[in-house]
């Protein structure tokens, strides 16, 4: 599941006439399941689920449950990619 979050920030430098802005694009992916199924007997065993796939739409209870392994999304390793871009236009 890929979730994209865009954060817009306005950065004003010296001129009020210029339009300087930077924005951050943050992509969140949930990878392999890390739930230890053998913790109750003192061991370590994971189920091998390679990536989180939601059972339902985002915002519903099914959106937090993995269709492959049945675990909650919090048991999956979270991977965040952050990309910062600047759209700086300076008057000439």
């Amino acid at each position: 599941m890929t979730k994209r979050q865009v954060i817009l920030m306005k950065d004003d430098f010296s001129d009020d006439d210029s339009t300087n802005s930077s924005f951050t694009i943050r992509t969140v992916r949930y990878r392999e399941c890390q739930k230890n199924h053998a913790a109750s007997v003192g061991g370590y065993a994971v189920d091998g689920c390679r990536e989180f796939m939601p059972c339902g739409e985002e915002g519903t209870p099914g959106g937090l449950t993995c269709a492959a392994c049945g675990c909650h999304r919090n048991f999956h390793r979270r991977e965040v990619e952050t990309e910062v871009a600047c759209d700086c236009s300076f008057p000439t």
Side-chain angles (χ1 to χ4, degrees):
M1 175 179 155
T2 302
K3 182 178 178 182
R4 185 169 262 204
Q5 180 180 34
V6 178
I7 301 168
L8 298 175
M9 296 179 291
K10 179 86 169 162
D11 292 331
D12 289 330
F13 293 107
S14 59
D15 295 326
D16 290 334
D17 296 336
S18 65
T19 56
N20 300 321
S21 62
S22 64
F23 58 93
T24 304
I25 298 173
R26 187 173 295 150
T27 305
V28 180
R29 295 187 76 174
Y30 292 91
R31 296 294 188 168
E32 67 270 2
C33 185
Q34 298 177 337
K35 182 176 181 179
N36 183 3
H37 294 278
S40 62
V41 294
Y44 181 77
V46 293
D47 61 5
C49 177
R50 301 292 297 156
E51 188 169 355
F52 176 78
M53 294 181 294
C55 285
E57 295 294 321
E58 189 169 336
T60 64
L64 298 175
T65 304
C66 182
C69 65
C71 294
H72 191 273
R73 185 175 71 182
N74 288 343
F75 285 109
H76 291 259
R77 181 175 61 89
R78 183 177 178 179
E79 185 177 84
V80 180
E81 292 180 15
T82 304
E83 182 180 328
V84 178
C86 179
D87 179 24
C88 301
S89 13
F90 295 102
T92 56

